[in-house]
Structure formats: C-alpha cells, structure tokens
Amino acid sequence: MEKTFIGLDFGSDSVRALLVSASGEEIADAVCPYPRWQRGLYCDPSIAQYRQHPLDYLEAMEQVLREVLRHADPRSLAGIGVDTTGSTPCAVDAAGVPLALTPDFAEDPDAMFLLWKDHTAYPEAEEINAAARRAPIDYTRYEGGIYSAEWFWSKYLHILRHDERLRPACAGFVEHCDWITAELTGGPVKPSRCAAGHKAMWHPDWHGLPPDEFLTGIDPLLAGRRDQLYTETFTADTPAGTLSEKWAAKLGVSKDVVVAVGLFDCHAGAVGAGIRPGVLVKIIGTSTCDILVAPKPPFCVRGICGQVDGSVIPSLTGFEAGQSAFGDIYAWFRRFLGYAGDVPLAKLEEDARKTLPKDVFALDWMNGRRTPDADASLQGAIFGLTLGTTAPEVYRALVESTAFGARRINDRFREGGLEIREIRAAGGIAGKSPLVMQTCADVLDMPIAQVRSEQTCALGAAIFAAAASGVPFAEAMRNMASGTGSVYRPDPANRARCEALYRRYLDLAESVEKEHKSHVR
Amino acid sequence: MEKTFIGLDFGSDSVRALLVSASGEEIADAVCPYPRWQRGLYCDPSIAQYRQHPLDYLEAMEQVLREVLRHADPRSLAGIGVDTTGSTPCAVDAAGVPLALTPDFAEDPDAMFLLWKDHTAYPEAEEINAAARRAPIDYTRYEGGIYSAEWFWSKYLHILRHDERLRPACAGFVEHCDWITAELTGGPVKPSRCAAGHKAMWHPDWHGLPPDEFLTGIDPLLAGRRDQLYTETFTADTPAGTLSEKWAAKLGVSKDVVVAVGLFDCHAGAVGAGIRPGVLVKIIGTSTCDILVAPKPPFCVRGICGQVDGSVIPSLTGFEAGQSAFGDIYAWFRRFLGYAGDVPLAKLEEDARKTLPKDVFALDWMNGRRTPDADASLQGAIFGLTLGTTAPEVYRALVESTAFGARRINDRFREGGLEIREIRAAGGIAGKSPLVMQTCADVLDMPIAQVRSEQTCALGAAIFAAAASGVPFAEAMRNMASGTGSVYRPDPANRARCEALYRRYLDLAESVEKEHKSHVR
C-alpha cells in the first residue's frame, strides 16, 4: 500500500487539509473556516485587534482531517505536517494549555492567539527596536534589522502589560504551529526553527533566544520569560512525535503516525512550489510572502523579514520578505468604489487592461510596508490625478504600484548578495489575475511561472510530513513538490516604460516617506 | 420713470441678462445656453481644445435681452454693461469681424473664440515665458510673473502658427468682452483695461502692449501684430458708445442706450459684491476667482494673475488670483465614483460631514495650479490611504484641499503687502455647500459672508452700465451692489487642527512639485 501524508495548512480564515500520496498525487483536500472568527468575535478592526480562539483551530482541524481521511485507507497514513500563519502566538499556562481553553479566560481575547496581522503591539515593537539599537549585539540582525509589531516578543509584552488578570496565570507564549504539533502528539512543544528564528530573535550566535538582560531592559515584565521558553529549535523535517492516543482514536488512525515539527505557511509553500537556490517563490494573496533559499551566507540582508538556517529547506538558509498588502489593495479599491455601487473585479480588470494610465501613479502602502525596512505606519498615495482620471486608470496604477513594491523586494535581495534566476508564483492572485501577473513580469523584467498546485502550502506541509516519517527530504520534495504551469513573460515593448516608472516610484516613495516621518511620527 | 440697466454676463456655458433699476432692484433675469457649444461642436477635451462660435453669443444674447426687456418699459433702459469670461479671444478680419462669421471660415475652430480654459497654446506660453525671462523688461511683471496658456498672446501665436489658411485673413485678435461691446455699438473696439491689463501684458510703463521687438523675438509671425491692436484702454465705467441702429431696432429700445466698455466676469462680480479695499471677493464655482482692490501700490505681487489699475474699481488697482479647479474637483470625484454608480452630491456631502479624515490628505491640483505661481502641468494627489479609507473621507479631504488652496492665495496676497480684513463669497458653490464654506472659514481662519445676489457678475455689469450712462460710479455701486447674507464663522475648536494640516499641505505641495518638475518636465 502506498503511504499517504497529510499537510495541514492553517490560514488566516480557515484550515485546509491536503492528503497526498508518497508519489505526489493530491488525493483529497478539505477546508473549514474558523467558526468564531467567521462571526467576527474577539476582534476590533478599528484598532487592528485580531484574535482567534484555540477552539476554532481544534474544531476546524478535526473536521478537515476526518474529511480527507475518508478518501484513503486510514492505514496508509504515515505522517502529518503542520503549517500556520505567523507570528500567531498565544499565552499558555504552566502545562502549555492556551489560557482561553481554561475556564477563567475562555472569553478573554488576550488569552487567545494574536493573529499575525494584529497590530495592537505597535508601541511594544517600537520599544524593542529602540532597545535593539542600544544593545551591544543587534538581536534583530537576522530578522532584517527591524522588529515588527506582528511578532512574538512585541505581542508577548503587550499581553503581559495590558492584562493584569492574565499576567500571573501566563507561564509561556506559544506559536500556533508549535501548539498544534504539541496538541496532536500530546507531548511537549518541539519548537519550530522557522517560527523561532524569523519571529522570536532565536539564533545560535547568542545560543537561542535573546538573553534575559536584553529582555528585562525592554520591560521588567519580561524577566524570566526567556527561560520558560526553549533553547533548542528544530527544522520541519524533524518528527515532533507520533499521534496521541486521543487524536489517533478521534481520527481512526494508528498511533504510529508521525507528526512533523511545524513551520510557517509560506515557508511550507516555498517547498511545495519546489524552491531551490536561485528560485524566488512568491506566495501572492491579500499580502505577499517572498522566499529564497541559499547556502548559509557570511552576511545579513538588511530590511527583509529575516534569514534563518533551515527555515525552509533544512540544509539551506531561508530568506523571507513580503508586501503587507497586495490583493488587499485591489479589494480595498473595490470596497471604496462600492460606496457608489458594486463593480465586479472582472470588469474593473478588463477596463484597466484597456487603459494605460498616463500620469496616474500609486504608492502601495495602504497597509504599511513590510519589505524593505518594515514600517507599519506608512500609508498609500495616488498621484497624477486630473479632472479626467477614471476608476480603471487608478485600478491599473494600483496594480502597477504593487508590482513596483515587488520589484523593490527583488532589488533588496540582490543588493544583499542573493541571486534570483527564476520566479514562481503561488497563491490566490497568482491564479486569478492575468493583468497583475503580466504587470509583475514586465516590472520585474523576468518570466514568472505559475505553480500548478492550488494548495502549495499544504503540499509543503505534507512533504515535511513525509520527511519526518523517514523519506529523505530531497526525495520527498522531488516526488511531491508541484510543477509549474503557465508562464508570464516580460514584454520587451514595456521595458523602458516600466523602468522609468519604477525610478519614479522610488523617488516618490522616498519623498513621501520623508514627509511622513516628519509629520506623523 | 426710474432708469433701468442691463448687465450682460457671458459665462462659460451660457449668457445671462439681469435687468436692474437705478435703486438696485433686480427686476428680471434670463439665461440662454450657447446652442452649438451645448452640442459639443468645435471642441476636443482630449487636447483641452474649447472653442465657441460667435453666433452662439449673438443668438443667445438677443434672446436674453428680449426676455428681460419684457419686464420693463423699454424707454426706461439707459445702459447696458457687458462682462465675459477671459482671456477668450478670437481672430478677426480687417473690419474687426470674427473670422468664423465670414463664409470661408464659418466652420474653422481656429476662427472662433478660444474659451479661457482652452489649453492648446501651452507650448506658446512656455516660449513667451522664456522670452520674458530674457527680456530687459519683464513684461509679465503685472500679470504675476508667469504668462499662461489661457491668455491672449499665447492663443494669438498658437492660431497664427497652426492655421496657415487663416493666417493671411487674420488682421487682429479681439477679446470677447471687447467684441460684444463693439457689436452692440456698431462702432470700433473700445479696449477693456481689465482684459488688456490682466491678459495681454498691456501697461502704461511700456506705453501699452509689449513692443514689437519683444513679440517678434518670440516668433516673427507676431511682427506688426501689436500695431494692429490698440495703445489706449478704458475702464468699464467709460461709455463704449450707444446702441447701433441694428440692435436698437432688434430690441425695440432707443439708440441713446449707452453701452459700457466691457470687462471680465469676476471683476464685474467683485463690484456686484460690493468690493472695497480690504474686502476679498471670492467667486467660487467650478474654479475660483479671487479679487482684491487697493490704492495703486509701489510693488508687484508675484505669482498671482495680475494687478491692473482700474480693472475692478476704476480709481483703484485690481488684483486677481484664483484656483484652477474648485467645484470641478468635487464633480470629478462624483464622476470617478460614477464608474460604480451614481452618488447624489448631497449624500456625499452629508456622509463627509460626519467623517473627519484622520490621515487622508489631498493636493487640489487636478486642473493644475493657477495661484500661486501658475503651473497648468501640476496634478492632484491623495495621501494617507489605508485599507479602511472610504469615499466620504476622500471627499472631505478634497474639500479640505480646496480650502488649503484658497489659504495659499490669502497668504500670497498678504506676503505681497495687501490687507484682507473681510471675505465675501459669491458663485455656485458659495450658495450650495455649507460643508465647503465652513471648511473654508476654518482654514482661512476668517468669517466668510455669502453675497446675497445670485447674479453678482451680471449685477456688476449693470453697475458699470449705470456709471457709463452718467451715474457717478460710487453712487451706482452704493445703490446697486448686493448686500451679504449668511456668514460662516471659523470654529475656534478647529483652529489648531487646520493650522497643522495646512503646514502639512505646504510641505506635501513642495515635495510633490519638486518631484513633478524632475520627472514630468
């Protein structure tokens, strides 16, 4: 009987399970939205508070696992791999249980997972950055040099500060991907290298997490918190353990099923998309995540979201960058026009395709900027408006602005000494919008191949499941990673125009950023 | 029998006649749109070509004159005053007849009036400015130091250059207001001081129009053109003559009816609004025209649209400034949203009133900038966009941007040494939008009184009709000018916010203008 593996992919709104055979056949998949999240509970978008209840994860996960297992002999299942969004951490008690699963904190948003896009910890991030600038060692060095409000320590400090009732009950802070694997094995947390290295300033140079003095210097509330966590971390081809009795019984599978150490969704996606040195994998959806791998370099790339040995391919360094809004910008513009009436995206895209904006020009910072040099406070702008400017023209300018944002990431990677020979795109936008993909190919001046699998992240998690259960990683990737489909090639006729516009984008970006800093800060 | 006067106000789309008694009673008014213009003939908005056929003026004028005269004893009519848009000139033959009224050129747009907002002469304006910078005397000095594509000599040169068939037939170039008075009197043109001084670089310092060497230096095509025109000019309280037999018969009135020398609409409007030193009159419609008067100063205000002795009140210097789009910006935004669906202006305004934009911020250059330092190539921009930005927020930011544009005009007037003690507003927007008027009052930090008459320009023309037919000007103004109605007072609670936002507007304006010049030029 051919072995099968499940990749579990916890996204922002739902969890997906993908059942894959050892030879790479995608046998079945299932999706389940998080029920409380769907009802808007525990969130307050006006202050960018986005919290998810752990029960949402457990209930949805059980459902999708049961669903895909109906499509195979349960005895064939050899491993489960897990990826999640991140940094999406949660306060836990001394037993590692998320506090929202204990009766006292069942309805307390601070006792739930803080979804990656939760920005309530903005002040804490500023303080961490200030401390990092003062410290003898720059602990943010491998995370691009700028610590984000979206990340582990910002959120941990925020919760400790703002919830005095919760503080004494909190005995640790756990990433979503680490908690899920511990939940499935019933064992202790086996910390993800990917999560720890990209979001928690974990690095062998300082023997793990940053030292207590550094953390205490930010706020005494952090005293001792480091030692409650971990020093060792693991790549996702490592087994976290095997299924607990509880979960084996729930699912009707063997207790010998291996659970792999977790990692973040886009890092798994890069593996699902067949990443290798020189291949940039872009996961393009509401925002983007851009991943490269390379042999361990003797340098740090500044202003990206981090470089971590083994965060993607276990034997290579993984580099992460991204745009904090991409498809979200197009969706915003439709919502904006929606004040007057509903416009189907297809119509907007079709009309935009026929309109070459002459002077209309946008900056894609409607959700701040992630790479290069993360700054969540930056805002979008539209220039070159005349009394004749139309909605499709602005839409097209927005599309171009997101492509310019993508170009800046490539430039930053290259300036940092990394090579990009090939680009593969996965994610919702990559499959949906030929205008966006063609514009990106023109602006990046490189062909962009669409990844064939529609579940690249879950597929990557399944590859790690195979590796953790004994298949050599390279073999698992060769057998199971997705191939590519259609390729968008840069149109040489657009080259000069794109180049000139990109120069203008850089100039406008610089002057707007300068003005913003002098007024908003 | 109390004497009556007619003010004829030729606007961009229609002509209005207002019949006023010597004591200031507005007896009747009539409006007639230009029939060919209404059908879009002779225009090409894609290149900003806006031409008006002289028959449009004649036919519409006859209709409105007949209409108002039905409301009074024709024998009571003592004078007619004329204001028009400007600079709106036309090529004429040796007899002063607009070429479009001759059979050979009846359908040639170059033989018609070039409406003020026609921008086809942009290259010619650039050349005139370059020549003015080289010349020993700056002939643009009293016109703000920057010559516009909308003005007399730019348009004259453009027509001569671009229509070789027309060139030999063209024996002069006449402003709309000058031609109408000559048409009504049947006599020679009696040139308007207002038109000549504000738009044709006429000034006593150089004994009239700029010398032939200067004009020939721009283009030999202009050789001799100065001497075909005029050296003397007249304020609008001067009689241009009396009604011709033809027009007296057409209208059934006496040939003794005096026709006053013409002037521009907003200058007439300032008189209709009761302007005096220290009172800024703002005519606020699709664009704005801002008028001040003062005793002849020993200085030039730079970057405005000119300062001309007698262009408004005959005994004072008139200063003109303006914004090249105001209501047009709101109309554009509705058109822009109209891609998705129709939004009533009232709804947009009501929703905007309830939304204080937090970071959304606009630059009001959607139709270039008129004052300060005219530059038609500048474009609008919107900053501070986030994924939560709504249409009413942007609308409100646009309203604020037009108020900031207005504030810059006040600043420039004051920096130039002029005093503003009081503001009166007339025109479509002034009467229609409380949100706009209140925002202007807050940003300008001065009360703004609404002018009661709804036909301020026509009323001003009627006042000049009275003055030209013998009533002392001051008496005519005292008896006939409009009073003010509701007053918008600055809200002290908004003062600090407006001040801070205005500083930001200045900074953004500076950086966008700088970037624009480095890229677009």
Side-chain angles (χ1 to χ4, degrees), chain B residues 409-445:
Chain B
I409 291 177
N410 282 20
D411 284 1
R412 183 54 67 96
F413 273 142
R414 284 172 170 146
E415 287 156 19
L418 296 167
E419 206 187 359
I420 304 172
R421 284 192 305 269
E422 191 185 323
I423 302 178
R424 298 189 183 180
I429 298 283
K432 257 191 323 218
S433 171
L435 174 68
V436 173
M437 295 312 292
Q438 185 58 50
T439 305
C440 285
D442 286 346
V443 169
L444 299 178
D445 200 21

mmCIF file of all heavy atoms in Angstrom, chain B residues 409-445:
data_model
loop_
_atom_site.group_PDB
_atom_site.id
_atom_site.type_symbol
_atom_site.label_atom_id
_atom_site.label_comp_id
_atom_site.label_asym_id
_atom_site.label_seq_id
_atom_site.Cartn_x
_atom_site.Cartn_y
_atom_site.Cartn_z
ATOM 1 N N ILE B 409 -3.695 81.402 -1.402
ATOM 2 C CA ILE B 409 -3.915 82.664 -2.118
ATOM 3 C C ILE B 409 -3.907 83.821 -1.124
ATOM 4 O O ILE B 409 -3.256 84.851 -1.350
ATOM 5 C CB ILE B 409 -5.240 82.595 -2.907
ATOM 6 C CG1 ILE B 409 -5.083 81.597 -4.061
ATOM 7 C CG2 ILE B 409 -5.640 83.974 -3.408
ATOM 8 C CD1 ILE B 409 -6.335 81.388 -4.874
ATOM 9 N N ASN B 410 -4.603 83.648 -0.001
ATOM 10 C CA ASN B 410 -4.591 84.700 1.019
ATOM 11 C C ASN B 410 -3.162 84.991 1.475
ATOM 12 O O ASN B 410 -2.758 86.148 1.612
ATOM 13 C CB ASN B 410 -5.431 84.283 2.228
ATOM 14 C CG ASN B 410 -6.915 84.447 1.955
ATOM 15 O OD1 ASN B 410 -7.324 84.505 0.797
ATOM 16 N ND2 ASN B 410 -7.714 84.509 3.017
ATOM 17 N N ASP B 411 -2.409 83.916 1.710
ATOM 18 C CA ASP B 411 -1.026 84.097 2.155
ATOM 19 C C ASP B 411 -0.222 84.887 1.132
ATOM 20 O O ASP B 411 0.542 85.785 1.485
ATOM 21 C CB ASP B 411 -0.351 82.734 2.371
ATOM 22 C CG ASP B 411 -0.823 82.075 3.660
ATOM 23 O OD1 ASP B 411 -1.675 82.668 4.353
ATOM 24 O OD2 ASP B 411 -0.341 80.970 3.964
ATOM 25 N N ARG B 412 -0.398 84.531 -0.144
ATOM 26 C CA ARG B 412 0.382 85.212 -1.169
ATOM 27 C C ARG B 412 -0.004 86.685 -1.265
ATOM 28 O O ARG B 412 0.850 87.557 -1.401
ATOM 29 C CB ARG B 412 0.194 84.505 -2.525
ATOM 30 C CG ARG B 412 1.019 85.083 -3.652
ATOM 31 C CD ARG B 412 2.511 85.152 -3.331
ATOM 32 N NE ARG B 412 3.164 83.858 -3.205
ATOM 33 C CZ ARG B 412 3.835 83.258 -4.188
ATOM 34 N NH1 ARG B 412 3.954 83.841 -5.362
ATOM 35 N NH2 ARG B 412 4.408 82.079 -3.980
ATOM 36 N N PHE B 413 -1.318 86.962 -1.184
ATOM 37 C CA PHE B 413 -1.753 88.364 -1.195
ATOM 38 C C PHE B 413 -1.095 89.119 -0.037
ATOM 39 O O PHE B 413 -0.593 90.229 -0.202
ATOM 40 C CB PHE B 413 -3.279 88.460 -1.051
ATOM 41 C CG PHE B 413 -4.041 88.382 -2.368
ATOM 42 C CD1 PHE B 413 -5.254 87.694 -2.436
ATOM 43 C CD2 PHE B 413 -3.575 89.004 -3.519
ATOM 44 C CE1 PHE B 413 -5.969 87.625 -3.626
ATOM 45 C CE2 PHE B 413 -4.289 88.943 -4.715
ATOM 46 C CZ PHE B 413 -5.497 88.251 -4.762
ATOM 47 N N ARG B 414 -1.119 88.512 1.137
ATOM 48 C CA ARG B 414 -0.587 89.196 2.320
ATOM 49 C C ARG B 414 0.919 89.362 2.247
ATOM 50 O O ARG B 414 1.453 90.424 2.579
ATOM 51 C CB ARG B 414 -0.977 88.439 3.587
ATOM 52 C CG ARG B 414 -2.437 88.672 3.927
ATOM 53 C CD ARG B 414 -2.891 87.783 5.069
ATOM 54 N NE ARG B 414 -4.211 88.190 5.538
ATOM 55 C CZ ARG B 414 -5.132 87.337 5.995
ATOM 56 N NH1 ARG B 414 -4.880 86.046 6.051
ATOM 57 N NH2 ARG B 414 -6.299 87.779 6.391
ATOM 58 N N GLU B 415 1.613 88.285 1.810
ATOM 59 C CA GLU B 415 3.062 88.404 1.646
ATOM 60 C C GLU B 415 3.381 89.533 0.670
ATOM 61 O O GLU B 415 4.414 90.183 0.777
ATOM 62 C CB GLU B 415 3.649 87.109 1.082
ATOM 63 C CG GLU B 415 3.703 85.951 2.063
ATOM 64 C CD GLU B 415 3.723 84.595 1.351
ATOM 65 O OE1 GLU B 415 4.055 84.554 0.137
ATOM 66 O OE2 GLU B 415 3.369 83.605 1.996
ATOM 67 N N GLY B 416 2.478 89.742 -0.310
ATOM 68 C CA GLY B 416 2.685 90.793 -1.310
ATOM 69 C C GLY B 416 2.360 92.169 -0.768
ATOM 70 O O GLY B 416 2.472 93.154 -1.486
ATOM 71 N N GLY B 417 1.905 92.254 0.481
ATOM 72 C CA GLY B 417 1.669 93.561 1.088
ATOM 73 C C GLY B 417 0.221 94.003 1.089
ATOM 74 O O GLY B 417 -0.092 95.142 1.432
ATOM 75 N N LEU B 418 -0.713 93.119 0.695
ATOM 76 C CA LEU B 418 -2.118 93.522 0.659
ATOM 77 C C LEU B 418 -2.827 93.069 1.934
ATOM 78 O O LEU B 418 -2.468 92.062 2.532
ATOM 79 C CB LEU B 418 -2.799 92.893 -0.561
ATOM 80 C CG LEU B 418 -2.236 93.383 -1.902
ATOM 81 C CD1 LEU B 418 -2.709 92.499 -3.034
ATOM 82 C CD2 LEU B 418 -2.643 94.836 -2.141
ATOM 83 N N GLU B 419 -3.847 93.812 2.287
ATOM 84 C CA GLU B 419 -4.570 93.537 3.509
ATOM 85 C C GLU B 419 -5.879 92.836 3.178
ATOM 86 O O GLU B 419 -6.538 93.174 2.190
ATOM 87 C CB GLU B 419 -4.861 94.881 4.187
ATOM 88 C CG GLU B 419 -5.036 94.798 5.669
ATOM 89 C CD GLU B 419 -5.498 96.150 6.212
ATOM 90 O OE1 GLU B 419 -5.642 97.109 5.425
ATOM 91 O OE2 GLU B 419 -5.724 96.227 7.432
ATOM 92 N N ILE B 420 -6.260 91.843 3.990
ATOM 93 C CA ILE B 420 -7.576 91.203 3.840
ATOM 94 C C ILE B 420 -8.264 91.278 5.194
ATOM 95 O O ILE B 420 -7.874 90.615 6.142
ATOM 96 C CB ILE B 420 -7.441 89.729 3.402
ATOM 97 C CG1 ILE B 420 -6.627 89.617 2.116
ATOM 98 C CG2 ILE B 420 -8.821 89.097 3.221
ATOM 99 C CD1 ILE B 420 -6.277 88.189 1.719
ATOM 100 N N ARG B 421 -9.292 92.116 5.265
ATOM 101 C CA ARG B 421 -9.999 92.278 6.542
ATOM 102 C C ARG B 421 -11.333 91.553 6.557
ATOM 103 O O ARG B 421 -11.919 91.313 7.603
ATOM 104 C CB ARG B 421 -10.255 93.777 6.812
ATOM 105 C CG ARG B 421 -9.046 94.551 7.264
ATOM 106 C CD ARG B 421 -9.446 95.933 7.779
ATOM 107 N NE ARG B 421 -10.222 96.674 6.775
ATOM 108 C CZ ARG B 421 -9.680 97.499 5.869
ATOM 109 N NH1 ARG B 421 -8.379 97.690 5.848
ATOM 110 N NH2 ARG B 421 -10.447 98.117 4.988
ATOM 111 N N GLU B 422 -11.826 91.243 5.346
ATOM 112 C CA GLU B 422 -13.176 90.687 5.248
ATOM 113 C C GLU B 422 -13.231 89.827 4.000
ATOM 114 O O GLU B 422 -12.534 90.108 3.026
ATOM 115 C CB GLU B 422 -14.157 91.874 5.122
ATOM 116 C CG GLU B 422 -15.601 91.524 5.266
ATOM 117 C CD GLU B 422 -16.521 92.727 5.008
ATOM 118 O OE1 GLU B 422 -16.172 93.868 5.394
ATOM 119 O OE2 GLU B 422 -17.582 92.517 4.381
ATOM 120 N N ILE B 423 -14.016 88.744 4.038
ATOM 121 C CA ILE B 423 -14.154 87.897 2.842
ATOM 122 C C ILE B 423 -15.620 87.772 2.486
ATOM 123 O O ILE B 423 -16.472 87.510 3.343
ATOM 124 C CB ILE B 423 -13.560 86.480 3.077
ATOM 125 C CG1 ILE B 423 -12.074 86.568 3.467
ATOM 126 C CG2 ILE B 423 -13.727 85.614 1.837
ATOM 127 C CD1 ILE B 423 -11.430 85.213 3.760
ATOM 128 N N ARG B 424 -15.916 87.980 1.195
ATOM 129 C CA ARG B 424 -17.270 87.761 0.695
ATOM 130 C C ARG B 424 -17.211 86.697 -0.386
ATOM 131 O O ARG B 424 -16.315 86.716 -1.232
ATOM 132 C CB ARG B 424 -17.844 89.039 0.088
ATOM 133 C CG ARG B 424 -17.963 90.134 1.103
ATOM 134 C CD ARG B 424 -18.730 91.312 0.557
ATOM 135 N NE ARG B 424 -18.744 92.347 1.576
ATOM 136 C CZ ARG B 424 -19.325 93.519 1.440
ATOM 137 N NH1 ARG B 424 -19.956 93.813 0.305
ATOM 138 N NH2 ARG B 424 -19.305 94.401 2.415
ATOM 139 N N ALA B 425 -18.167 85.788 -0.370
ATOM 140 C CA ALA B 425 -18.167 84.710 -1.355
ATOM 141 C C ALA B 425 -19.418 84.758 -2.203
ATOM 142 O O ALA B 425 -20.533 84.915 -1.700
ATOM 143 C CB ALA B 425 -18.072 83.368 -0.653
ATOM 144 N N ALA B 426 -19.210 84.633 -3.515
ATOM 145 C CA ALA B 426 -20.330 84.533 -4.453
ATOM 146 C C ALA B 426 -20.074 83.328 -5.338
ATOM 147 O O ALA B 426 -19.028 82.681 -5.241
ATOM 148 C CB ALA B 426 -20.416 85.808 -5.285
ATOM 149 N N GLY B 427 -21.015 82.996 -6.194
ATOM 150 C CA GLY B 427 -20.823 81.879 -7.117
ATOM 151 C C GLY B 427 -21.544 80.639 -6.634
ATOM 152 O O GLY B 427 -21.990 80.552 -5.486
ATOM 153 N N GLY B 428 -21.627 79.656 -7.535
ATOM 154 C CA GLY B 428 -22.451 78.469 -7.313
ATOM 155 C C GLY B 428 -22.144 77.741 -6.012
ATOM 156 O O GLY B 428 -23.036 77.436 -5.218
ATOM 157 N N ILE B 429 -20.866 77.440 -5.771
ATOM 158 C CA ILE B 429 -20.502 76.647 -4.597
ATOM 159 C C ILE B 429 -20.809 77.402 -3.305
ATOM 160 O O ILE B 429 -21.255 76.823 -2.318
ATOM 161 C CB ILE B 429 -18.994 76.303 -4.643
ATOM 162 C CG1 ILE B 429 -18.673 75.455 -5.875
ATOM 163 C CG2 ILE B 429 -18.560 75.618 -3.368
ATOM 164 C CD1 ILE B 429 -19.064 74.024 -5.781
ATOM 165 N N ALA B 430 -20.579 78.733 -3.343
ATOM 166 C CA ALA B 430 -20.780 79.544 -2.144
ATOM 167 C C ALA B 430 -22.199 79.387 -1.622
ATOM 168 O O ALA B 430 -22.439 79.341 -0.416
ATOM 169 C CB ALA B 430 -20.472 81.005 -2.447
ATOM 170 N N GLY B 431 -23.152 79.281 -2.549
ATOM 171 C CA GLY B 431 -24.543 79.181 -2.122
ATOM 172 C C GLY B 431 -24.995 77.759 -1.840
ATOM 173 O O GLY B 431 -25.971 77.533 -1.141
ATOM 174 N N LYS B 432 -24.252 76.767 -2.378
ATOM 175 C CA LYS B 432 -24.770 75.397 -2.365
ATOM 176 C C LYS B 432 -24.237 74.539 -1.231
ATOM 177 O O LYS B 432 -24.901 73.627 -0.777
ATOM 178 C CB LYS B 432 -24.394 74.702 -3.693
ATOM 179 C CG LYS B 432 -25.565 74.605 -4.663
ATOM 180 C CD LYS B 432 -25.283 73.697 -5.850
ATOM 181 C CE LYS B 432 -23.893 73.735 -6.402
ATOM 182 N NZ LYS B 432 -23.814 73.650 -7.869
ATOM 183 N N SER B 433 -22.979 74.774 -0.812
ATOM 184 C CA SER B 433 -22.357 73.782 0.070
ATOM 185 C C SER B 433 -21.901 74.346 1.410
ATOM 186 O O SER B 433 -20.817 74.915 1.536
ATOM 187 C CB SER B 433 -21.157 73.151 -0.631
ATOM 188 O OG SER B 433 -20.452 72.363 0.297
ATOM 189 N N PRO B 434 -22.700 74.158 2.451
ATOM 190 C CA PRO B 434 -22.291 74.609 3.782
ATOM 191 C C PRO B 434 -20.999 73.933 4.248
ATOM 192 O O PRO B 434 -20.177 74.576 4.903
ATOM 193 C CB PRO B 434 -23.466 74.196 4.681
ATOM 194 C CG PRO B 434 -24.629 74.023 3.764
ATOM 195 C CD PRO B 434 -24.058 73.572 2.455
ATOM 196 N N LEU B 435 -20.789 72.648 3.908
ATOM 197 C CA LEU B 435 -19.561 71.976 4.329
ATOM 198 C C LEU B 435 -18.335 72.684 3.759
ATOM 199 O O LEU B 435 -17.356 72.961 4.470
ATOM 200 C CB LEU B 435 -19.562 70.501 3.877
ATOM 201 C CG LEU B 435 -18.258 69.738 4.135
ATOM 202 C CD1 LEU B 435 -18.020 69.526 5.623
ATOM 203 C CD2 LEU B 435 -18.254 68.382 3.421
ATOM 204 N N VAL B 436 -18.394 72.998 2.462
ATOM 205 C CA VAL B 436 -17.269 73.663 1.818
ATOM 206 C C VAL B 436 -17.041 75.045 2.434
ATOM 207 O O VAL B 436 -15.906 75.416 2.755
ATOM 208 C CB VAL B 436 -17.503 73.784 0.292
ATOM 209 C CG1 VAL B 436 -16.414 74.628 -0.350
ATOM 210 C CG2 VAL B 436 -17.573 72.404 -0.350
ATOM 211 N N MET B 437 -18.116 75.793 2.623
ATOM 212 C CA MET B 437 -17.952 77.151 3.131
ATOM 213 C C MET B 437 -17.428 77.154 4.566
ATOM 214 O O MET B 437 -16.569 77.949 4.924
ATOM 215 C CB MET B 437 -19.291 77.899 3.045
ATOM 216 C CG MET B 437 -19.782 78.118 1.617
ATOM 217 S SD MET B 437 -18.506 78.783 0.507
ATOM 218 C CE MET B 437 -18.317 80.411 1.231
ATOM 219 N N GLN B 438 -17.944 76.233 5.394
ATOM 220 C CA GLN B 438 -17.469 76.171 6.777
ATOM 221 C C GLN B 438 -15.994 75.758 6.815
ATOM 222 O O GLN B 438 -15.196 76.302 7.590
ATOM 223 C CB GLN B 438 -18.327 75.186 7.588
ATOM 224 C CG GLN B 438 -17.964 75.161 9.063
ATOM 225 C CD GLN B 438 -18.101 76.543 9.715
ATOM 226 O OE1 GLN B 438 -19.136 77.198 9.569
ATOM 227 N NE2 GLN B 438 -17.059 77.006 10.400
ATOM 228 N N THR B 439 -15.622 74.789 5.951
ATOM 229 C CA THR B 439 -14.226 74.363 5.896
ATOM 230 C C THR B 439 -13.336 75.528 5.487
ATOM 231 O O THR B 439 -12.263 75.738 6.057
ATOM 232 C CB THR B 439 -14.066 73.185 4.909
ATOM 233 O OG1 THR B 439 -14.961 72.141 5.294
ATOM 234 C CG2 THR B 439 -12.648 72.649 4.907
ATOM 235 N N CYS B 440 -13.789 76.308 4.499
ATOM 236 C CA CYS B 440 -13.004 77.478 4.071
ATOM 237 C C CYS B 440 -12.859 78.471 5.221
ATOM 238 O O CYS B 440 -11.766 78.996 5.462
ATOM 239 C CB CYS B 440 -13.652 78.152 2.865
ATOM 240 S SG CYS B 440 -13.410 77.248 1.326
ATOM 241 N N ALA B 441 -13.948 78.723 5.937
ATOM 242 C CA ALA B 441 -13.877 79.674 7.055
ATOM 243 C C ALA B 441 -12.869 79.175 8.097
ATOM 244 O O ALA B 441 -12.054 79.938 8.607
ATOM 245 C CB ALA B 441 -15.255 79.864 7.682
ATOM 246 N N ASP B 442 -12.908 77.864 8.390
ATOM 247 C CA ASP B 442 -11.984 77.302 9.384
ATOM 248 C C ASP B 442 -10.537 77.409 8.917
ATOM 249 O O ASP B 442 -9.656 77.795 9.676
ATOM 250 C CB ASP B 442 -12.325 75.824 9.644
ATOM 251 C CG ASP B 442 -13.591 75.673 10.489
ATOM 252 O OD1 ASP B 442 -14.043 76.669 11.076
ATOM 253 O OD2 ASP B 442 -14.135 74.547 10.529
ATOM 254 N N VAL B 443 -10.313 77.041 7.658
ATOM 255 C CA VAL B 443 -8.937 77.009 7.159
ATOM 256 C C VAL B 443 -8.394 78.426 6.951
ATOM 257 O O VAL B 443 -7.236 78.708 7.252
ATOM 258 C CB VAL B 443 -8.842 76.176 5.864
ATOM 259 C CG1 VAL B 443 -7.489 76.348 5.193
ATOM 260 C CG2 VAL B 443 -9.100 74.694 6.159
ATOM 261 N N LEU B 444 -9.258 79.326 6.439
ATOM 262 C CA LEU B 444 -8.801 80.710 6.230
ATOM 263 C C LEU B 444 -8.775 81.470 7.555
ATOM 264 O O LEU B 444 -8.217 82.553 7.645
ATOM 265 C CB LEU B 444 -9.711 81.425 5.226
ATOM 266 C CG LEU B 444 -9.771 80.801 3.822
ATOM 267 C CD1 LEU B 444 -10.740 81.570 2.935
ATOM 268 C CD2 LEU B 444 -8.382 80.778 3.196
ATOM 269 N N ASP B 445 -9.416 80.891 8.568
ATOM 270 C CA ASP B 445 -9.479 81.486 9.899
ATOM 271 C C ASP B 445 -10.055 82.900 9.859
ATOM 272 O O ASP B 445 -9.568 83.810 10.533
ATOM 273 C CB ASP B 445 -8.074 81.470 10.546
ATOM 274 C CG ASP B 445 -8.152 81.609 12.065
ATOM 275 O OD1 ASP B 445 -9.221 81.315 12.627
ATOM 276 O OD2 ASP B 445 -7.152 82.035 12.676
#
